[in-house]
């Protein structure tokens, strides 16, 4: 029996938050700022979910994806222009059961936590191979992500490795959302492996063309 709970909701325009990620966000919408102020009074946990269309200013149920990330606010800073900078850490995948308007001041949602399935011991070595493959991609791409790869190499948990690499890949929002919604850990790792592969071969072909 899954237990549902109700939490304030913060829709995001151009980013998908994964568990174990620490990300700075700039928040300007009044309802979103109110939701953040509300969680700062309690346990600082909030649901972060990507919008299907970043142009929508007042997102409702139909405008956001059905899965998001339970997250903790680590730091909150009010900026002189009225916007708020927050540092958030994703903790768990969640299914959004229902979005509720809290007397028009901010959005709340009823959620249930979703755990990984198909989590087997042999995935640890697969995840380590994925790190090596991702590191080669960074070298190929000449992207200065020494910090990212350094942090990823320290992680031992296959699920966290998958989510960290997924968040660093050059993907569209809907593609990242697909990875967030993959609860089968084996399938998720395989999918990320093929995405890294694809990105690597695209860069290799571009380099060959430039070389000519």
């Amino acid at each position: 029996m899954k237990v549902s709970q109700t939490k304030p909701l913060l829709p995001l325009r151009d980013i998908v938050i994964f568990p174990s990620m620490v990300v700075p966000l700039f928040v300007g919408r009044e309802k979103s700022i109110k939701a953040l102020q509300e969680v700062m009074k309690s346990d600082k946990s909030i649901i972060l979910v990507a919008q299907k269309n970043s142009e929508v200013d007042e997102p409702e149920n139909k405008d956001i994806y059905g899965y998001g990330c339970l997250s903790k606010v680590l730091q909150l800073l009010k900026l002189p222009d009225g916007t708020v900078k927050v540092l958030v850490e994703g903790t768990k995948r969640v299914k959004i059961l229902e979005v509720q308007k809290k007397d028009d001041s901010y959005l709340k949602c009823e959620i249930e936590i979703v755990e990984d399935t198909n989590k087997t011991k042999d995935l640890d070595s697969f995840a380590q191979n994925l790190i090596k493959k991702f590191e080669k991609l960074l070298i190929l791409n000449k992207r200065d992500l020494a910090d990212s790869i350094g942090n990823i190499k320290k992680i031992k948990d296959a699920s966290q490795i998958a989510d960290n690499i997924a968040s660093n890949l050059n993907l569209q929002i809907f593609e990242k959302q697909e990875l967030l919604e993959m609860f089968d850990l084996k399938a998720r790792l395989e999918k990320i492996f093929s995405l890294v592969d694809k990105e690597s071969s695209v860069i290799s072909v571009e380099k060959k063309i430039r070389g000519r």
Side-chain angles (χ1 to χ4, degrees), residues 18 21-22 28 38-39 49 51 59 62 68-69 73 98 124 145 153 157 161 164 185 205 210:
F18 288 89
M21 292 304 305
V22 175
E38 194 56 37
V39 303
V49 62
Q51 287 183 206
K62 64 179 185 339
C69 191
V73 177
E98 188 194 358
D124 292 346
L145 281 175
K153 278 179 167 174
D157 182 79
I161 289 168
N164 270 271
L185 182 55
V205 169
R210 276 205 297 271

Side-chain angles (χ1 to χ4, degrees), residues 25-27 73 75-80 83-87:
L25 301 171
F26 290 90
V27 180
V73 177
Q75 229 175 7
L76 186 142
L77 189 66
K78 284 184 180 155
L79 301 175
T83 58
V84 168
K85 182 185 180 186
V86 281
L87 191 65

Side-chain angles (χ1 to χ4, degrees), residues 4-10 47 49 59-62 64-68 94-102 106-112:
S4 71
Q5 41 189 309
T6 303
K7 299 267 178 201
L9 173 73
L10 180 58
I47 304 300
V49 62
E60 294 178 7
N61 218 345
K62 64 179 185 339
I64 61 171
Y65 285 103
Y67 288 85
V94 295
K95 181 180 184 180
I96 293 164
L97 304 172
E98 188 194 358
V99 176
Q100 309 152 352
K101 283 187 176 166
K102 172 84 168 118
Y106 63 90
L107 294 172
K108 290 183 93 164
C109 61
E110 191 188 338
I111 54 113
E112 62 185 28

